[in-house]
Amino acid sequence: MHALRRLTRPPTHNARRVPRYSGRPHPPRTISSKAHSAPYPGRTHSCGSLSSDNAGQRVILAGWILPERQLIASQRKMRTIGKSFYHLKDSYGTTQLLVDHAQGDSYNTLLQVPVESTVLIEGVVELRPIDARKLGNTGAVDVLVDRVTLLNAATPDMPFLPSNPHNLPNEELRARYRYLDLRRSALSQNIKKRSQVAHIVRNVLHDLDFTEVETPVLLRSSPEGAREFLVPARNSASSDPTQGSQRQPVFYALSQSPQQPKQLLICSGGVDRYFQIAKCFRDEDGRKDRQPEFTQIDLEMAFVSWGKNQPPSPSSADETNVWRIGGHQVREVVEKLVREIWKDIQGIELPETFKVMTYHEAMTRFGSDKPDTRFGLEILNLSDLLPHVSDGSSASSDVILECIVVHKSGDSAYIKASHTSEGDTSTEITQEHITLTDATRKTWLLESKAASHVYPDMSSEDQTIVNKALKLKAGDDIWLSYRPRVPTGGSTALGRARLQIFERAQSRGDFVVTKDPHFLWITEFPLFTRDDADKEHLAHGRWSSSHHPFTAPVWQDIDALYRGEAEKVRGQHYDLVLNGVEIGGGSVRIHDSAMQDFIFTHILKLDDTEKFPFNQLLHALQCGAPPHGGIALGFDRIMAILCNTSSIRDVIAFPKSASGTDLLFKSPASVSRQVLEEYGIQPQPGQME
């Protein structure tokens, strides 16, 4: 039986064609809310699989019914009068239904079925007239319907209609009803593409003799850099001698990454090449490219060695496009994996090897440790043009003056964006934005506060040298700044200004960025940093690791490490950057337990309690651990790029909001005092009252 009753007053023909959600409940209907629970025939095809080859076949389809469709006048002339058109959608695609009004039962049924209801359609495939055919498998055919079964009626007061992409509510409401939002083709295709990429990853890595291993999600809290999520455990027994004998609440920590487990796997000798598509958790503020829980493609390899055909020293003057650290095997695996993904998903053949740039070069030329190389506007070092200038106090030897020049003629795509962009504002002038006129072209450097801070005794001759070298003319824009000679952190003031100009030029329509993917390896980062605000809650003014505390130093800098000159030590750390987005990061690991303990104790200055979570790793390194290294690729970020969306929330089935909350499952949520007491946790005074 059909789970359907006739409307007491059938709606007008036009009333069901273009349903709109006004924010108010729809008028009540007399359709039964009882779903069809009797036997029904199984579908023979999906809604996206029919083509001209199926013409004349009887088919059974199942999916969600969309509004009745009106044809344009030219198409109506070519069709038989007395027929209606609907679309039936499932997760595979959409098929157009042709309903003859003479088929009273089918037509009347569809008239009464609310939009987005689940129905079973039986009918015969017909070819469309030639001039009505469209691209795609189902664009050449219709299904002439002769029977309709309502499987489950949709409520008339749905919060929004996912079938209407032109009238979608805000992101918050869609997140609250994510199960409806996922019905949209744009999101469902993203989820399918994610599955395809995961399949490619597994196939490629299995062919490269990697072993997939699941590592624990519940671990122990450890100071590895990011804030952790803690999970209370009812068992109050603790194996941690630092806690003493007093009964205290105990906690797991959700894994920030499988870092220690995967290193221990390689140290064991039982696994030579490990991989995992791993869930990771960090208690950080949400962004478009960051979630509290995220997924990474995690790799680790034994016996990684120094790069091939290396120059005699990483201090060589030529640092362009040369891999001068260890872990080249990791590089080769990742490049092969990425090439296969882009070939199969995007149809793009990538080069055999990706370009390489050191951290120092990236910060010097682009003002960023993840530079976007799809456009120019490179930073110029003015101190190189004025090597003889000095203020006598040696302060200028530790600071450099640099600029970006946006030429009115040569950089016409950016000049209007540059004029309307704003520089950093601070009490101390570190950046200036100057638009040259005929009057200021000969004096701008001498009058600059940023320049006079670095070189107070500049002369008109210096001004002439700079103008000539930069080929400055009236109408040009100059972005001027100074910074420490040794770059630190992730970006500089001019690096941020460069991106601001680029983004504004795109939004204005003055510049269209290339669609070609620009992959780039960044290497030789500082091993330690004091410029990472995200890590300060653990560092408390101490040095912290730029990557993580298990990253090996460049071997030429080991002596500086043991002398305690942390600021001079580079790491064997590598990031993979795509179009200015970091999509992966890894390193060669320390396999010398004495060196690892030295870094914990003398550089990071961890006390015994902070070092305790790493004791098992230190001991494993003492047991003949091989040289090893690995990388973690951000699966969500890669998918966002492949799906051409700016937010990773669009490629995650059930994402968190920007604030880290889940509007669908209403998490996080409070628990009762009784539950807290089971875990030995006492609420703060005034809470839970």
Side-chain angles (χ1 to χ4, degrees):
M1 289 183 65
H2 297 181
L4 174 67
R5 298 177 185 171
R6 285 186 180 273
L7 292 171
T8 55
R9 179 180 294 176
T12 63
H13 190 62
N14 289 334
R16 294 300 305 137
R17 281 183 173 171
V18 189
R20 295 178 181 175
Y21 178 62
S22 64
R24 300 185 299 272
H26 290 267
R29 298 180 180 273
T30 59
I31 293 179
S32 169
S33 62
K34 183 178 179 181
H36 182 92
S37 300
Y40 61 89
R43 59 185 177 179
T44 60
H45 298 77
S46 72
C47 292
S49 64
L50 295 179
S51 67
S52 57
D53 295 338
N54 301 109
Q57 295 180 9
R58 183 169 181 79
V59 298
I60 303 174
L61 306 176
W64 289 265
I65 195 70
L66 304 187
E68 184 180 3
R69 180 171 174 264
Q70 292 186 0
L71 296 180
I72 61 176
S74 60
Q75 290 177 319
R76 276 200 299 268
K77 292 177 182 178
M78 303 299 295
R79 301 298 184 99
T80 303
I81 301 299
K83 293 183 180 180
S84 295
F85 297 88
Y86 291 84
H87 279 156
L88 186 71
K89 179 185 182 300
D90 64 10
S91 65
Y92 297 96
T94 304
T95 295
Q96 183 164 275
L97 308 179
L98 184 61
V99 186
D100 193 334
H101 295 184
Q103 289 280 347
D105 289 343
S106 298
Y107 180 56
N108 289 333
T109 297
L110 286 175
L111 275 178
Q112 300 175 79
V113 170
V115 174
E116 300 288 347
S117 295
T118 310
V119 297
L120 190 79
I121 298 295
E122 300 178 55
V124 178
V125 179
E126 288 190 350
L127 285 174
R128 295 183 188 178
I130 293 177
D131 62 345
R133 296 177 188 178
K134 297 181 179 180
L135 296 177
N137 280 351
T138 64
V141 298
D142 296 330
V143 173
L144 181 61
V145 178
D146 57 41
R147 187 175 182 183
V148 178
T149 303
L150 177 62
L151 298 177
N152 198 2
T155 177
D157 57 352
M158 288 173 62
F160 68 94
L161 297 178
S163 57
N164 186 355
H166 305 296
N167 191 28
L168 290 175
N170 59 49
E171 185 177 10
E172 180 178 337
L173 183 63
R174 286 187 285 117
R176 193 176 303 160
Y177 299 97
R178 184 68 171 184
Y179 45 85
L180 291 180
D181 205 24
L182 285 170
R183 197 175 294 178
R184 291 193 296 125
S185 297
L187 286 187
S188 62
Q189 290 304 315
N190 289 352
I191 301 304
K192 286 187 175 183
K193 186 177 288 187
R194 184 183 180 108
S195 176
Q196 293 170 354
V197 174
H199 185 69
I200 294 169
V201 168
R202 286 190 165 93
N203 284 345
V204 170
L205 295 178
H206 277 301
D207 290 344
L208 293 174
D209 204 28
F210 278 77
T211 302
E212 185 172 8
V213 182
E214 295 179 1
T215 56
V217 171
L218 295 174
L219 289 170
R220 179 206 165 95
S221 177
S222 60
E224 295 183 22
R227 292 183 185 273
E228 300 169 314
F229 287 102
L230 298 179
V231 180
R234 287 185 296 109
N235 181 8
S236 61
S238 173
S239 59
D240 184 353
T242 64
Q243 299 299 317
S245 58
Q246 185 178 0
R247 182 182 184 275
Q248 296 188 40
V250 291
F251 299 86
Y252 295 105
L254 294 181
S255 174
Q256 296 181 39
S257 75
Q259 189 59 48
Q260 281 202 71
K262 69 179 181 179
Q263 284 194 244
L264 292 171
L265 275 172
I266 302 302
C267 291
S268 74
V271 176
D272 188 83
R273 291 184 162 196
Y274 143 93
F275 89 95
Q276 181 182 193
I277 299 179
K279 272 288 187 184
C280 304
F281 307 87
R282 293 179 184 174
D283 189 4
E284 299 174 325
D285 295 334
R287 301 175 187 169
K288 286 187 175 182
D289 64 350
R290 179 185 289 181
Q291 284 270 288
E293 57 178 313
F294 57 96
T295 306
Q296 62 187 37
I297 304 168
D298 207 46
L299 310 176
E300 196 77 11
M301 301 168 61
F303 300 108
V304 298
S305 58
W306 207 256
K308 299 177 181 178
N309 304 319
Q310 297 304 300
S313 169
S315 61
S316 168
D318 182 11
E319 58 181 29
T320 301
N321 206 27
V322 179
W323 187 277
R324 306 189 303 189
I325 58 176
H328 73 90
Q329 294 96 336
V330 178
R331 175 191 183 186
E332 291 170 352
V333 167
V334 170
E335 289 178 347
K336 177 175 178 58
L337 178 60
V338 171
R339 284 199 307 270
E340 290 297 321
I341 292 173
W342 255 255
K343 177 181 177 181
D344 291 355
I345 300 298
Q346 302 290 77
I348 296 176
E349 294 280 353
L350 297 176
E352 284 296 310
T353 59
F354 302 157
K355 292 183 178 180
V356 181
M357 187 181 296
T358 66
Y359 168 84
H360 182 270
E361 181 183 359
M363 293 290 285
T364 300
R365 291 175 57 190
F366 301 100
S368 173
D369 64 355
K370 46 181 181 294
D372 192 335
T373 56
R374 294 175 297 172
F375 67 104
L377 300 182
E378 292 193 22
I379 298 171
L380 304 173
N381 184 345
L382 293 182
S383 294
D384 287 347
L385 301 177
L386 304 170
H388 62 287
V389 179
S390 174
D391 62 358
S393 66
S394 76
S396 60
S397 62
D398 297 326
V399 177
I400 63 169
L401 186 66
E402 56 186 10
C403 72
I404 294 175
V405 179
V406 186
H407 292 284
K408 182 178 180 180
S409 56
D411 300 310
S412 58
Y414 307 106
I415 191 66
K416 291 182 180 178
S418 179
H419 285 337
T420 57
S421 296
E422 297 179 357
D424 289 351
T425 56
S426 60
T427 54
E428 181 183 4
I429 297 297
T430 59
Q431 179 179 289
E432 287 181 277
H433 177 201
I434 304 168
T435 299
L436 294 183
T437 64
D438 287 325
T440 61
R441 191 172 66 87
K442 297 180 180 180
T443 59
W444 66 271
L445 187 63
L446 295 172
E447 297 172 355
S448 164
K449 294 180 180 179
S452 62
H453 175 84
V454 183
Y455 299 124
D457 57 348
M458 282 189 301
S459 64
S460 57
E461 181 182 352
D462 298 319
Q463 174 79 73
T464 302
I465 292 173
V466 171
N467 281 0
K468 184 176 181 180
L470 300 182
K471 300 179 180 179
L472 297 177
K473 297 180 179 179
D476 292 347
D477 256 21
I478 300 173
W479 293 76
L480 191 67
S481 180
Y482 61 86
R483 63 165 175 84
R485 182 170 295 275
V486 178
T488 60
S491 65
T492 66
L494 287 190
R496 294 186 290 274
R498 176 178 179 266
L499 287 177
Q500 185 186 61
I501 297 168
F502 167 65
E503 291 167 358
R504 183 158 295 190
Q506 286 188 92
S507 65
R508 290 176 51 89
D510 296 337
F511 179 75
V512 178
V513 69
T514 177
K515 294 182 179 179
D516 295 335
H518 281 222
F519 287 92
L520 177 68
W521 289 104
I522 304 297
T523 63
E524 299 179 43
F525 288 80
L527 190 56
F528 307 106
T529 182
R530 284 195 172 107
D531 289 317
D532 191 336
D534 290 338
K535 298 180 179 181
E536 181 55 31
H537 72 284
L538 291 173
H540 300 298
R542 300 172 294 183
W543 285 106
S544 59
S545 300
S546 298
H547 186 43
H548 57 54
F550 318 114
T551 300
V554 170
W555 70 269
Q556 289 92 340
D557 294 347
I558 291 177
D559 287 344
L561 172 71
Y562 284 119
R563 291 195 301 267
E565 300 172 353
E567 69 281 359
K568 297 182 180 179
V569 182
R570 293 160 296 169
Q572 295 190 64
H573 168 194
Y574 32 81
D575 277 357
L576 182 59
V577 175
L578 170 58
N579 298 343
V581 177
E582 178 197 335
I583 63 171
S587 67
V588 176
R589 322 302 189 193
I590 299 168
H591 67 284
D592 179 345
S593 63
M595 179 184 292
Q596 184 69 82
D597 187 63
F598 180 88
I599 289 175
F600 285 154
T601 305
H602 299 286
I603 305 296
L604 303 180
K605 299 189 182 301
L606 304 184
D607 59 32
D608 289 342
T609 300
E610 292 171 316
K611 285 171 56 177
F612 181 80
F614 306 119
N615 281 352
Q616 63 277 354
L617 178 62
L618 289 171
H619 186 261
L621 297 179
Q622 295 173 1
C623 297
H628 57 287
I631 195 170
L633 299 173
F635 193 25
D636 306 309
R637 292 185 183 182
I638 290 174
M639 290 311 309
I641 292 171
L642 291 173
C643 295
N644 194 30
T645 178
S646 61
S647 174
I648 63 173
R649 292 193 288 275
D650 290 338
V651 298
I652 300 172
F654 298 101
K656 302 291 189 292
S657 69
S659 62
T661 59
D662 191 319
L663 299 177
L664 173 60
F665 297 105
K666 311 298 187 293
S667 64
S670 59
V671 298
S672 68
R673 181 185 296 271
Q674 181 181 358
V675 171
L676 289 177
E677 289 174 351
E678 291 182 17
Y679 293 95
I681 301 173
Q682 297 295 326
Q684 293 181 356
Q687 290 185 337
M688 308 192 71
E689 294 181 355

